[in-house]
Amino acid sequence: MVDQIQEFLDAVSGIVWGPFVLIPLLFLTGLYLTIRLGGIQFLRLGAALGLGLLRRKDPGSSGDISQFQALTTALAATVGTGNIVGVATAIAIGGPGALFWMWVTGILGMASKYAEAFLGVRFRQSDRAGERNGGPQYYLERGIRGPVGKILAWTFTIFAIFASFGIGNLTQSNSIALNIENSFSVTPWATGLVLTVLTLVVLVGGIKSIGRVTAGFVPVMIVFYVIAALYILIVNIGDVPAAFGVIVGDAFTGTAAAGGFTGSVFIIAVQYGFARGIFSNESGMGSAAIAAAAAQTSHPVRQGLVSMTQTFIDTIIVVSMTGLVIVTTGAYTLADPATGEQLSAALMTGEAFSQGLPGQWGHWVVTIGLAMFAYSTILGWSYYGERNVERVFGRGAVMPFRVLFSLIVFGGATTQLTLVWSFSDVMNGLMALPNLIGLLILSGLIARETRAYLRFDPKLRASKREIEEALADDPDFQAWKAREDEMDAAGGVPSGGVPSGDVNSDDVRTGDGA
C-alpha cells in the first residue's frame, strides 16, 4: 500500500513539476511580472532593505505586527531544511547547475513575492478577534470576481492546509530529530517532546507571539549560518571563481551532474533547481502574503517591497552559501564510504562544512543550523495553516488547530517518514498553481497601483500623512484606506464584503489595469 501511494505521489509530482506545468508557469509569471513592474526587484531592493531591516516599521499604521516582524515570520517559514538539505538534493540529482536555476527562481521570484505580498495587504480584512487576515485565500476571491476567483481561492485554501502539515511540520520536525540523534545521541522522542512544548508555548500567543519570537530568533540563526559559510569560502577563496564557472556551465550542459548523464540532465537540473528553489523561497506559492497581511503598513506597496527582500535573503544569500560551500569543497563529487556511491543529500552539506571547518565544528554548525531553520519553519507555517483553517471553519477552530499542529510536531519527530517529502512537493506545487494564475490575472491592478505609489515615493521614505496627501485623489488608495479605517473604527471587525469601488472588475478580470 505504501509503495502504491509513493508511486502515485511520484507520478503526480512528475506532472506538476514537469516541463509543461509548474516550471514554465513559475518562470513566465516571474518574468512577466518583472517586465510589467519595471524590474522592481533590481531598482527598489536597496530601499526595501532599508525599510524592512533598518527602519523596520511604519509609525501610526494599522496592523498586528511590525513590518520587520512580518518579514521575519515569512523568513522563519521559508528558511528551513530546503536551505540545507534541499540545496544538497538539487545538486545531488541535477548537478551543480541546479543551483543556477535556484538563483533564477530567486531573482524572478522576487517580483512574484512582491506581487503576492502587495495583494495580501491590498485585500486583507479582519477576523472576530480583530486581527488582520489576508493571503491568496482572500485576494483571489475578492480581486477576481465571479466563480473563477472563488475556485482559485478555495483550491489554494485546501492545499495550503495540507501543505502546512507537510512542508511546515512533519518534514521539519523529522529532520531536527534525526540530525540531533546522529550528532548528539539524543533520542527522537526527547527532541519531539521539547519541540512540541516550545511550539505550543509560542503558538498559544498567536501572530504577535510568533512575530516577537521570530524577530529575535531568525536574524541570529541566519547570521550564525552565513558567518560559518563565509569562513569556508574565504579560506577557499581561490576556488570560488571556478565554482561559479562549474555552476553556470553545468546549468546548460549537465556534464557534472550525478551519474554523468548529458542529454536530458539539462531538464533534470532545471526541474530540481526550480522544485528545490520554490521549496526554499516559496515565491509564487502565496504563503508569504499571509504574513504580509498582518503587517502595520501605510500602503500595500511598502509591505510588498519589504516582503520581496525575503526571497533575496533566502535564496541569493542563504541558499548561495550552502551551494557554494558544497561546490567549492567538492563534496558533491565524494563517495559514501559505506556504499561507494555518491554522498546522499542528507550527508552532503554536513560533509562540505566538515571539510571547510576545523574539528567537529562543521558537523555541529550544520546540525544546529538545520535545527534552528527547521524550528523557525514550524512556527511560520503554523500561522499559514491557522489562517487557512480559519477561512474554512471560522475563528473557533484556531486554538484547536494550534494544539493539533503542536502535537503533530511530536509525531513527525518520532516517526520514520517515507512519503512526506513527496507529499510536500505535490502540495507545494498545487498551492502555487492557483496563486500564479491569480497573479497573472491581477497583474494590471498590481502594476497600476505600484506605479502610482512609487511615482512620488521611490525611496520609501514618505510618512503616513505624506502618503495620504499625495494619494488624496487616487481612488484605489482611497478605497483601501476607507477599508482600513472601517476596520480600525469597528475594533477590527469590518462590515464584510468587497467595498464598492474597491476594484475595477473589468481591469481585474483581464489583468489590464494599466
Side-chain angles (χ1 to χ4, degrees):
M1 181 66 177
V2 172
D3 291 340
Q4 291 176 333
I5 296 175
Q6 182 68 59
E7 289 177 4
F8 172 76
L9 290 175
D10 289 343
V12 175
S13 180
I15 295 172
V16 173
W17 287 105
F20 304 109
V21 184
L22 199 53
I23 288 177
L25 185 58
L26 277 168
F27 177 81
L28 293 174
T29 301
L31 180 62
Y32 178 73
L33 289 171
T34 296
I35 296 171
R36 193 81 195 262
L37 295 170
I40 194 169
Q41 66 267 54
F42 305 108
L43 298 178
R44 308 301 174 194
L45 178 60
L49 288 169
L51 176 58
L53 300 182
L54 299 179
R55 299 197 299 279
R56 298 190 174 192
K57 60 178 64 176
D58 265 355
S61 300
S62 301
D64 302 322
I65 55 179
S66 70
Q67 290 178 319
F68 179 70
Q69 290 175 330
L71 171 62
T72 56
T73 298
L75 273 171
T78 55
V79 179
T81 58
N83 295 77
I84 297 178
V85 180
V87 178
T89 300
I91 293 175
I93 299 175
L99 179 59
F100 175 87
W101 296 110
M102 292 185 78
W103 289 338
V104 171
T105 69
I107 293 171
L108 296 181
M110 289 172 68
S112 301
K113 184 64 63 75
Y114 166 78
E116 60 196 19
F118 166 88
L119 292 172
V121 177
R122 177 65 173 80
F123 291 103
R124 67 185 180 181
Q125 57 187 52
S126 287
D127 59 20
R128 294 185 179 277
E131 294 179 350
R132 292 296 196 268
N133 203 343
Q137 70 273 33
Y138 292 101
Y139 67 66
L140 292 173
E141 182 172 355
R142 293 187 62 208
I144 305 171
R145 306 296 176 83
V148 173
K150 287 183 171 61
I151 292 171
L152 292 175
W154 282 101
T155 300
F156 174 89
T157 301
I158 299 304
F159 289 134
I161 293 173
F162 283 115
S164 70
F165 291 108
I167 181 181
N169 191 323
L170 291 168
T171 60
Q172 309 299 329
S173 58
N174 188 260
S175 295
I176 294 173
L178 289 178
N179 277 271
I180 289 181
E181 182 181 26
N182 292 334
S183 298
F184 306 111
S185 300
V186 177
T187 59
W189 70 263
T191 301
L193 184 61
V194 172
L195 285 175
T196 299
V197 172
L198 290 176
T199 302
L200 187 58
V201 168
V202 176
L203 297 194
V204 165
I207 184 57
K208 293 182 179 179
S209 175
I210 294 172
R212 286 192 298 268
V213 171
T214 58
F217 181 63
V218 169
V220 172
M221 77 178 192
I222 291 177
V223 170
F224 164 79
Y225 186 77
V226 169
I227 287 177
L230 280 174
Y231 172 84
I232 297 174
L233 296 178
I234 291 171
V235 169
N236 298 278
I237 191 67
D239 297 324
V240 172
F244 275 104
V246 169
I247 292 166
V248 176
D250 188 60
F252 300 96
T253 63
T255 54
F261 298 103
T262 53
S264 63
V265 163
F266 168 71
I267 297 299
I268 296 174
V270 174
Q271 180 178 352
Y272 277 87
F274 271 76
R276 293 301 104 189
I278 194 175
F279 185 88
S280 174
N281 61 51
E282 299 178 16
S283 295
M285 283 178 58
S287 52
I290 301 172
Q296 297 163 349
T297 186
S298 50
H299 195 283
V301 167
R302 294 169 71 88
Q303 184 55 41
L305 286 168
V306 169
S307 296
M308 181 185 76
T309 66
Q310 170 211 328
T311 298
F312 175 80
I313 294 169
D314 175 275
T315 304
I316 307 304
I317 295 180
V318 182
V319 162
S320 295
M321 290 296 104
T322 302
L324 287 172
V325 167
I326 290 173
V327 177
T328 301
T329 59
Y332 72 100
T333 65
L334 299 179
D336 189 336
T339 64
E341 299 178 353
Q342 180 193 36
L343 279 176
S344 66
L347 299 175
M348 190 179 292
T349 305
E351 181 61 28
F353 274 79
S354 294
Q355 287 195 22
L357 293 173
Q360 294 294 313
W361 278 102
H363 190 65
W364 293 337
V365 164
V366 171
T367 298
I368 295 171
L370 190 145
M372 292 192 298
F373 287 6
Y375 177 65
S376 72
T377 298
I378 292 172
L379 296 182
W381 267 91
S382 69
Y383 182 66
Y384 296 165
E386 168 189 311
R387 296 287 88 174
N388 282 279
V389 164
E390 181 178 353
R391 179 74 173 92
V392 178
F393 301 106
R395 182 71 191 184
V398 168
M399 189 57 70
F401 172 82
R402 292 173 181 171
V403 174
L404 175 63
F405 194 88
S406 300
L407 294 176
I408 288 178
V409 169
F410 183 82
T414 56
T415 305
Q416 290 295 326
L417 304 177
T418 57
L419 302 175
V420 172
W421 282 100
S422 297
F423 175 80
S424 297
D425 270 346
V426 172
M427 290 300 107
N428 286 359
L430 294 177
M431 272 180 67
L433 283 173
N435 185 59
L436 291 168
I437 293 169
L439 293 183
L440 291 173
I441 295 173
L442 293 166
S443 61
L445 169 71
I446 300 166
R448 181 182 68 227
E449 296 195 22
T450 299
R451 285 197 299 268
Y453 182 84
L454 293 178
R455 191 177 294 124
F456 80 92
D457 186 25
K459 296 184 178 180
L460 307 182
R461 294 189 176 276
S463 66
K464 184 173 183 290
R465 179 180 60 81
E466 290 170 336
I467 293 170
E468 292 175 353
E469 290 176 355
L471 297 176
D473 297 325
D474 187 303
D476 294 315
F477 174 72
Q478 292 304 317
W480 179 76
K481 182 177 178 297
R483 180 73 172 177
E484 293 286 303
D485 291 342
E486 179 188 3
M487 288 189 284
D488 289 339
V493 183
S495 58
V498 180
S500 60
D502 193 26
V503 178
N504 183 309
S505 60
D506 291 333
D507 286 350
V508 171
R509 271 197 290 267
T510 63
D512 187 18

